[in-house]
Amino acid sequence: GNSVTQMEGPVTLSEEAFLTINCTYTATGYPSLFWYVQYPGEGLQLLLKATKADDKGSNKGFEATYRKETTSFHLEKGSVQVSDSAVYFCALNPPDYKLSFGAGTTVTVRA
Amino acid sequence: GAGVSQTPSNKVTEKGKYVELRCDPISGHTALYWYRQSLGQGPEFLIYFQGTGAADDSGLPNDRFFAVRPEGSVSTLKIQRTERGDSAVYLCASSSMGQAGTQYFGPGTRLTVL
């Protein structure tokens, strides 16, 4: 079946530190891959996506590259801010509309 | 335009009661999804509508759960004889035909069954 495994948290960083959240997946076919973010008190927001191998998604300084050979979609940001504190979810769409999510990684950035 | 909206934002009910959760998708989005998010977990798929019909309800946990979308826009998730294990955040998402795979989520309804 389809599944997503992402790095367990919580992760605590200082401002301007480098952030990586690992995400690997298992899927049949050619899934699209997503990172969603949930800021405190808010709903899930799409952060970035990639629809095919070697695509790089990017948004708000975050990047993730679709690596088919390693079935990975790791999220990175070079210099985090306090406002990046949130829960981050990796997800895949097989594609058949049923998004499969990882368990989420809580990131806290301290000033 | 407006995003996906869900009402109520919070619902507290007693075990055995009936509840209805409402979702207003983004205008023009034909596809609508319901997910359930338990504490500390990622959302899990419940049901998918394409237009008025439930194209896939394989994620509904049992027959106490039912969802409708009578006019192809607003959807209602209905839970009968609620149990404490139903406590979770219920998320609704919508997408347009031309953006397969990009689902936009509402803020969720937090259901607490006492």
Side-chain angles (χ1 to χ4, degrees):
Chain A
N2 301 309
S3 67
V4 174
T5 302
Q6 66 181 96
M7 188 171 95
E8 289 187 17
V11 174
T12 303
L13 303 164
S14 298
E15 258 190 325
E16 301 183 3
F18 183 85
L19 171 67
T20 299
I21 305 176
N22 289 341
C23 171
T24 57
Y25 68 89
T26 302
T28 54
Y30 303 95
S32 296
L33 301 173
F34 304 84
W35 278 99
Y36 282 85
V37 59
Q38 194 167 35
Y39 297 105
E42 299 185 17
L44 273 173
Q45 300 177 24
L46 178 66
L47 180 59
L48 54 83
K49 69 175 184 179
T51 58
K52 61 183 188 298
D54 300 325
D55 267 2
K56 178 186 284 188
S58 61
N59 186 26
K60 299 182 179 181
F62 290 89
E63 292 184 339
T65 301
Y66 188 145
R67 301 285 188 201
K68 191 169 174 59
E69 63 276 14
T70 54
T71 61
S72 65
F73 193 55
H74 304 322
L75 183 68
E76 297 182 336
K77 185 171 184 180
S79 177
V80 293
Q81 305 299 314
V82 172
S83 58
D84 294 323
S85 298
V87 183
Y88 293 82
F89 293 92
C90 185
L92 72 82
N93 184 323
D96 69 351
Y97 54 78
K98 290 182 193 178
L99 282 174
S100 293
F101 286 85
T105 302
T106 300
V107 174
T108 302
V109 180
R110 295 197 285 211
Chain B
V4 178
S5 62
Q6 293 185 245
T7 54
S9 54
N10 280 284
K11 175 71 177 177
V12 180
T13 191
E14 293 179 345
K15 181 175 179 295
K17 299 291 189 183
Y18 168 82
V19 297
E20 290 189 351
L21 312 179
R22 176 187 167 106
C23 171
D24 274 276
I26 292 171
S27 177
H29 279 190
T30 57
L32 185 146
Y33 317 80
W34 283 98
Y35 291 81
R36 179 167 72 174
Q37 185 176 14
S38 300
L39 192 63
Q41 301 296 317
E44 294 180 323
F45 171 82
L46 295 177
I47 186 170
Y48 156 59
F49 286 90
Q50 184 58 255
T52 59
D56 185 343
D57 64 359
S58 62
L60 295 177
N62 52 59
D63 61 6
R64 295 187 295 106
F65 288 74
F66 188 71
V68 296
R69 194 185 184 199
E71 298 178 358
S73 179
V74 171
S75 175
T76 304
L77 178 65
K78 308 180 180 193
I79 310 174
Q80 299 177 323
R81 304 184 303 281
T82 51
E83 299 178 357
R84 292 194 179 89
D86 299 335
S87 297
V89 176
Y90 290 82
L91 297 169
C92 177
S94 70
S95 69
S96 70
M97 288 285 286
Q99 291 181 311
T102 302
Q103 298 178 23
Y104 297 91
F105 283 80
T109 294
R110 181 175 297 279
L111 175 67
T112 303
V113 182
L114 301 177

